[in-house]
Amino acid sequence: MRIVTTTVIAFRALRRNKLRTILAALGMIIGIGAVITMVSMGNGAKAQIEASMASMGQNMITIFPGSLTTGGMRGGWGSNSSLTIDDAESIKREVVGAVGVSAEIRDRQQVLANGLNWNTQVLGESTDFPKIRSWKLAEGDFFTDADVTSAAKVCVLGKTVVDQLFAGMDPIGQTIRVRNIPLRIVGVLAAKGYNVNGQDQDDAIIVPYSTSMKRISKRDRISSILVQAESMESMRRVQDNITDLLQQRRQGRDQDFTVFNQIELTEMRTAGSKTMTSLLGGVALVSLIVGGIGIMNIMLVSVTERTREIGIRLAVGAHSPDILMQFLTEAVVLSLAGGAIGIVLGVGASEFVSWNYGWPSQLSPLWMGIAVGGSAFVGILSGFYPALKASRLDPIEALRYE
């Protein structure tokens, strides 16, 4: 029997019991829909984290103060800063492939301007900061190396600070006060939005690190060091060289710093979303198996109900492979139809969640292909035994069946 004729007969048989066909396909529809929705949500969250990490800069390596052991007590990152300006200058001078280095001092201060006040982050940085963070200027200029050397009273504002203190005004050339220290505004950074931690990157004031250390924070240690590698391929080499150099400078003391590259930080941030995507995808795949069991059950019932029909077909010249192909085709058609509807349902559900709740979603053509292939495989797997059982019926016994 030809494939086309077999397919037509399969559709005709499925059409005779519409409600049962719909109920049999329901498990497959829900399973495929759940797979598409869950994977889209997981991919969307992962893509959002990766985009947020990318906005932090290109080929960036960050050195944090590491764990210190004091009197038998150990502390985590940032518990006690061990990094100095000399460390940053040594990296810039000696590490090949480090094309940008910025010593960073992080602080929060209440700032005043135009009779208004605002609590914001004050970052002490070097002139390499905009290049390392891929952060363009919307207005004005960045401070210069001369400003860093002289600890000049200048600053560059983030967009949020401008909106809060200089709404509708040109801030360039005006003065803002930090701890009663007047700072002249020389530039405004372009808007960047929120980072992976949900913090507003534009809510910041950038000053020369020397100004922060000598005039604002009064510190002799720095919070971290930002380094830009010349390329993504050289990041690991530059990272290893930085580690070796800083350890040499400590002359045998325990390592009191931690070096991370941007790829490692991204992987750390996305590890949770990957795990959740895998978990949700696994739960959804279980529903596919349940859907396959439902199809097998319906096909077994169908074989039993149509025993006499099978006997008649065998008696008039049909062969066992024809019967096998017919019932197998019915199972595959049932699975593929359920899979197609499930894909539409999954796409619609992910778009609805994204639009209604603001949750990011990213459809994956790969997973959609896997869903279609999976539904066909489940159809073949679940339909093979009932089809094999039907093809092995004895024509005489089948004709006697009531």
Side-chain angles (χ1 to χ4, degrees):
M1 183 180 293
R2 296 184 178 183
I3 297 294
V4 176
T5 306
T6 303
T7 306
V8 171
I9 293 173
F11 271 107
R12 194 176 296 159
L14 292 172
R15 225 175 22 244
R16 280 203 300 263
N17 297 283
K18 294 184 180 66
L19 181 60
R20 188 168 68 186
T21 299
I22 293 171
L23 292 175
L26 194 58
M28 193 63 62
I29 292 170
I30 294 173
I32 295 292
V35 169
I36 298 298
T37 303
M38 297 305 178
V39 172
S40 296
M41 296 294 101
N43 286 343
K46 179 172 173 287
Q48 186 180 49
I49 292 171
E50 289 175 345
S52 180
M53 292 299 293
S55 73
M56 294 179 67
Q58 294 294 321
N59 308 326
M60 191 171 72
I61 297 169
T62 307
I63 301 100
F64 299 101
S67 297
L68 287 173
T69 303
T70 306
M73 299 183 65
R74 289 176 61 82
W77 293 347
S79 56
N80 190 359
S81 181
S82 58
L83 299 175
T84 65
I85 291 297
D86 287 341
D87 288 331
E89 291 178 348
S90 294
I91 293 171
K92 187 169 186 177
R93 185 173 58 250
E94 300 181 34
V95 175
V96 177
V99 295
V101 178
S102 180
E104 184 173 70
I105 298 95
R106 292 188 298 273
D107 199 8
R108 288 202 72 87
Q109 296 290 343
Q110 201 76 15
V111 300
L112 298 93
N114 292 323
L116 302 171
N117 69 87
W118 182 250
N119 188 274
T120 187
Q121 185 173 218
V122 179
L123 298 177
E125 303 285 353
S126 80
T127 53
D128 287 339
F129 177 76
K131 179 175 66 173
I132 296 171
R133 292 289 307 275
S134 301
W135 208 334
K136 297 180 179 179
L137 285 163
E139 300 177 55
D141 301 299
F142 207 73
F143 49 77
T144 65
D145 288 327
D147 292 326
V148 175
T149 302
S150 63
K153 298 177 183 179
V154 293
C155 67
V156 177
L157 305 186
K159 184 67 167 58
T160 299
V161 179
V162 173
D163 292 341
Q164 293 296 327
L165 300 179
F166 298 96
M169 303 172 60
D170 181 7
I172 303 299
Q174 299 202 48
T175 299
I176 190 169
R177 301 186 76 84
V178 180
R179 295 191 67 174
N180 210 32
I181 299 168
L183 301 175
R184 180 171 56 88
I185 302 167
V186 296
V188 175
L189 293 166
K192 253 188 184 287
Y194 290 84
N195 65 13
V196 68
N197 297 317
Q199 297 172 334
D200 185 1
Q201 297 180 86
D202 302 314
D203 190 6
I205 296 174
I206 318 299
V207 301
Y209 66 77
S210 54
T211 304
S212 176
M213 296 179 77
K214 295 177 181 178
R215 301 181 187 277
I216 300 174
S217 63
K218 307 290 186 180
R219 298 181 189 175
D220 60 354
R221 300 295 177 96
I222 58 180
S223 304
S224 58
I225 302 173
L226 306 180
V227 180
Q228 184 181 40
E230 59 186 352
S231 66
M232 185 175 293
E233 292 73 22
S234 66
M235 286 180 69
R236 174 62 66 180
R237 174 176 54 80
V238 173
Q239 180 179 359
D240 291 341
N241 290 341
I242 290 171
T243 302
D244 293 341
L245 173 64
L246 293 181
Q247 195 56 39
Q248 287 173 13
R249 288 179 53 80
R250 276 140 184 81
Q251 299 177 343
R253 299 196 307 271
D254 290 340
Q255 183 169 315
D256 55 7
F257 58 90
T258 305
V259 185
F260 274 110
N261 64 50
Q262 195 170 18
I263 296 173
E264 290 172 335
L265 290 173
T266 302
E267 288 174 349
M268 289 174 60
R269 298 296 186 184
T270 58
S273 66
K274 286 179 180 178
T275 301
M276 185 59 66
T277 300
S278 300
L279 178 63
L280 295 175
V283 172
L285 286 173
V286 169
S287 64
L288 275 182
I289 296 172
V290 173
I293 293 171
I295 290 174
M296 180 182 289
N297 184 48
I298 291 298
M299 295 308 299
L300 284 170
V301 171
S302 180
V303 169
T304 302
E305 287 183 349
R306 295 159 62 188
T307 300
R308 188 173 179 83
E309 174 194 330
I310 294 168
I312 293 173
R313 293 191 58 204
L314 289 170
V316 297
H319 298 89
S320 293
D322 298 330
I323 304 299
L324 176 67
M325 183 60 68
Q326 178 189 342
F327 280 88
L328 199 57
T329 302
E330 288 182 23
V332 173
V333 166
L334 198 58
S335 298
L336 287 176
I341 297 172
I343 288 174
V344 174
L345 181 67
V347 172
S350 60
E351 291 297 325
F352 173 78
V353 171
S354 179
W355 173 76
N356 201 45
Y357 298 102
W359 186 277
S361 68
Q362 187 178 72
L363 295 173
S364 171
L366 173 63
W367 273 94
M368 292 174 71
I370 290 173
V372 173
S375 63
F377 177 73
V378 168
I380 293 171
L381 202 63
S382 60
F384 184 77
Y385 174 68
L388 186 64
K389 181 180 178 182
S391 68
R392 289 181 175 177
L393 287 175
D394 183 271
I396 297 175
E397 294 297 324
L399 288 169
R400 289 177 180 174
Y401 186 81
E402 293 295 336

